[in-house]
Amino acid sequence: MITIQEIKKSLIVSVWFMLLTFPIMVIRVNTVEKIVEWRWENMFFIGISVFFLSFLWRYLMKRKELEKKPDIGTWEISILQEIVKKPKILICCSCCLVLFALLLPFIFSFYQTNIITNALIYVMLGLGLNIVVGLAGLLDLGYVAFYAVGAYSYALLNHHFGLGFWSVLPVAAFLSAFFGILLGFPVLRLRGDYLAIVTLGFGEIIRLILENWNEFSFGPSGIANIKRPGLFGIQMSLETSIIYIYYLMLLIVIFTIFVVNRLQNSRVGRAWIALREDEIACQAMGIDKTKTKLTAFALGATWAGMAGAIFAAKTTFINPASFTFLESAMILSIVVLGGMGSIIGVIIASFILILTPEYLRAFSDYRMLIFGATMVIMMVFRPQGIIPNVRRTYKFSKSRIEN
Amino acid sequence: MKIKKMEYFFELFLGGLTRGSIYALIALGYTMVYGIIELINFAHGEIYMIGSFTALIVASVLTLKGFNQISILILASLAAIIYSGAYGYTLEKIAYKPLRHAQRLSPLISAIGMSIFLQNYVLLAQTSDFLPFPNLIPEFEFWEPYSHIIGSPQLVIILVTIIIMVLLTILIKYTKIGKAMRATAQDKNMAMLVGVNINHVISITFIIGSVLAAVGGVLIASHIGMINFYIGFIAGIKAFTAAVLGGIGSIPGAVIGALILGWTESFATGYVSSDYEDVFAFALLVFILIFKPAGILGHSDAQKV
Amino acid sequence: MNIALEVKKMTMDFGGLRAIDNLDLDVKHGEIVALIGPNGAGKTTFFNCITGVYRPTRGDILIYPPDREQLRINGLKSNNVTEKGMARTFQNIRLFPNMTVLENVMIGRHCRTKSGVFSAIFRSRKTIHEENDIVEKSYNILEKIGIERFVNEFAKNLPYGVQRKLEIARALATDPFILLLDEPAAGMNPIEIKELDELIKKIRKQEKLSILLIEHHMSLVMNLSDRIFVMDYGRKIAQGTPDEIKSNKDVIKAYLGEDSDA
């Protein structure tokens, strides 16, 4: 199988990378003590791993070429897709999952429950961004701005007027939607890649304003002592409130899944996908581009806003550092990894991306490195994500419709 | 009082010119790559950052070995240029080449991934702290009398930028590879038919863009005197703004855009507030894209139906 | 017969380049009209102008919907043009590749239906009814075109000829009274072309609509059309019945070159 030629190729690649990474990986200068540290072991490590990775890379490339012809779905994927397709199995599986989720706080510690709540927030953010990027195909790199709008709406309204979580949640959602439309209007005419940069710029502007406008947002020091969500005025201990927020989050995530699922097979959802697939044809079929894009922006932002309010209520402290571009990139990589437009994919991806660094501490330093690499590798080898979106199918018997 | 005001204005003007020159060097990479493969090379800022890091590492090692300033400047710059070029080349081969026929968003997401990857690669292999960058550009003695107007480093930055612009223009206008690049930018298939090796041209474009970024990286790092793994991100966005402002794909446009951006930032921070330095740049970017997406020298092309 | 589409003295400039020069054209209700001409004559540009992709520099484009007043549609956005009853297909197929065949057609129903975000979420009886209606109508169209066996396939996996037909199906789903077909037979083999010929006739008869098509296959054009317009370098050089066009000197010159009349 492996020819001399291939070994030679891999050797060349590995030497190339050893040279390429030499100054950054091997040399480290301590400018204070004026010592040069030579880390030759890194070079060796790079050489070996690149050598083997290059075989893997070529193998995957070859497989990708083969898959291009007809769609030979790989085995494991087709099973997952079958499950997604068959409503009975799907309902059964989701019932088990919901049951597990309900019992979870009693099985795991508070600490772990808290982490899972975190993951659920990302599920929500991922599903929200999924509307914008996955369904409507609008690459939004400033999604975190709407998250920030939601978080600060609750934090500020709570701080200044003492408003409670439940009354602010709809306000936060509404404000974020408003910002979504505010951003959406001017950028409608822009092509995909320009849109990405403008949204990125918008996200950074919001963050910089929050950082610098001390009178309004209390600057980099942020806002502390935000009230946790209440439940009919019942006094709760820290532990109870962690569990309470967990259930709250679970409920909202289920609601989100419900809504996104209904939307993606609706008239509006189809219009989004058509817009993603071909803008000109979409318009030629009588779809109003402006309206469709704005709806996607506004809805995506609404979800980010709600997630933001919950985040503020959960951590009781927010500052601009939570809303950097990296956060946007992380949510985007959830959507990309999960599979654009795929609900189950996004859920699985957010759990992988949030929980792995939590439980593998050694892994957490390399988190962003791996995120970045994942985005590249996914785009090169599997642009449709872990679990590609499955379109709804219809059965017909003599013009009678069964779904 | 009046003179003070004039002097302040002039100071800001030169500050803007220096900044603008650096932005121009980076912006050219964006514009050239976009001109050829219509991709926003999101990781371009990271190439610039890696260029500065390489220069820093080489310069530090040589300083400890007792080399003199001029040879350090030359060797460090050379190392930065070679390494940036090599990174640019490799980047294209890994992250963009396999995606040349993919969907619209795929290369862009891949580029963002590469950018995050390279940032963290440097962060993990080196440090997250700001590192002091040695002042590589010498203070010229003959310039001493004028140095209250403009310091030698600033002078060097502006001069180097001008020289590079001239060289680049000559390269693109008169050399064979320059012609091949222009042909590829016009029509990839047609260029292929008349015997242009597209892969070759794209690689060369990435290398040239990266080399320019490296030069910018060394100059700005020794001017400001501090670098960390994150400098590429902000610089990249700003240079991109410059490229778009001038009209992406247009080389003189990138320079004009960079200068306008440099002055805007310089005057806005000088006269309005320094807290919002980056906001001005981003706001400018958003405004251009909304009101004149084709930029100053760009031409909007109708989408083919 | 009454007029369905009327283009008066339309001119389209791109910078200094005149792509269409003072063109007059009309299509009557129930008529099949062909627009022919050598490559680069400006036929597709003409389509793009009257469907709102481009805004023509000068001239009038009028449509006469059967049950409504006449409308001037210059400068309308292309989705509004479709909504007013003029639908089109594309020369270089522009389907939605990652949607199923049925969904592609269902998109065509978009402008004839109403439900929005909230009704999608709450799924009221009215929405369910509308949804079923969309599915049923779309399926019927697929049956009519004869591609219903591909109903749940992704559009990107279809054979070329079926993709062309799906484009027609999708356009029909918007309930047009004029259908614009941009080279519907391009890339088809003789058998497929014959099928297409019959299909277009059937559509005209059943749907009672007018068809304006751009086509290069002369046998198909001559066989199908009631009238033919010929364009060259952005100008109309001839119009008439197929027989008149066949013997027109200017047309032969345009197709075979200046020197061929010797």
Side-chain angles (χ1 to χ4, degrees), chain C residues 2-11 23-29 46 49-52 56 58-66 68-76 80-81 84-86 177-178 180 210 212 227:
Chain C
N2 299 321
I3 290 175
L5 165 71
E6 189 176 20
V7 178
K8 283 189 205 160
K9 297 202 185 314
M10 191 178 81
T11 299
L23 194 88
D24 288 308
L25 184 146
D26 63 285
V27 180
K28 299 192 177 78
H29 279 289
F46 174 78
C49 284
I50 62 175
T51 54
R58 266 197 307 281
D60 294 306
I61 308 159
L62 302 163
I63 54 171
Y64 301 82
R68 264 177 296 164
E69 292 284 289
Q70 73 168 69
L71 275 169
R72 185 168 179 273
I73 57 168
N74 295 41
L76 277 189
N80 293 330
V81 172
K84 300 279 180 272
M86 189 155 73
F177 72 96
I178 307 175
L180 309 178
S210 330
L212 173 61
R227 280 186 306 144

Side-chain angles (χ1 to χ4, degrees), chain B residues 223-240:
Chain B
H223 180 51
I224 292 179
M226 292 279 237
I227 61 171
N228 81 341
F229 72 99
Y230 202 61
I231 55 167
F233 179 71
I234 292 288
I237 299 286
K238 288 187 179 172
F240 176 78

Side-chain angles (χ1 to χ4, degrees), chain A residues 23-34:
Chain A
I24 306 255
M25 287 300 283
V26 176
I27 312 170
R28 179 148 64 187
V29 183
N30 190 330
T31 37
V32 183
E33 287 166 34
K34 307 237 179 274

Side-chain angles (χ1 to χ4, degrees), chain C residues 239-250:
Chain C
Q239 78 178 81
T241 62
D243 288 328
E244 286 166 10
I245 294 297
K246 266 181 212 162
S247 53
N248 187 308
K249 274 218 177 91
D250 291 332

Side-chain angles (χ1 to χ4, degrees), chain A residues 178-203:
Chain A
F178 173 72
F179 269 86
I181 293 173
L182 201 69
L183 170 67
F185 249 118
V187 301
L188 282 173
R189 292 182 307 156
L190 299 178
R191 283 182 29 199
D193 32 12
Y194 279 10
L195 180 86
I197 300 289
V198 171
T199 48
L200 174 86
F202 176 77

Side-chain angles (χ1 to χ4, degrees), chain C residues 176-243:
Chain C
F177 72 96
I178 307 175
L179 186 60
L180 309 178
L181 304 175
D182 197 346
E183 297 200 23
M188 284 185 170
N189 62 35
I191 302 167
E192 287 174 318
I193 291 179
K194 201 165 171 303
E195 279 173 19
L196 183 73
D197 186 332
E198 281 155 19
L199 179 65
I200 293 176
K201 280 180 183 152
K202 191 172 114 186
I203 291 172
R204 176 206 4 211
K205 213 171 119 199
Q206 287 185 352
E207 310 290 317
K208 298 188 182 58
L209 41 70
S210 330
I211 294 170
L212 173 61
L213 78 159
I214 295 175
E215 195 40 77
H216 280 298
H217 282 276
M218 278 310 139
S219 54
L220 181 73
V221 169
M222 295 299 167
N223 192 8
L224 268 179
S225 6
D226 301 315
R227 280 186 306 144
I228 298 174
F229 287 79
V230 190
M231 273 179 86
D232 195 19
Y233 295 111
R235 271 192 300 267
K236 183 170 75 182
I237 57 169
Q239 78 178 81
T241 62
D243 288 328

Side-chain angles (χ1 to χ4, degrees), chain B residues 249-269:
Chain B
S250 151
I251 287 176
V255 179
I256 294 173
L259 291 178
I260 293 177
L261 179 67
W263 281 319
T264 309
E265 276 191 5
S266 187
F267 288 121
T269 48

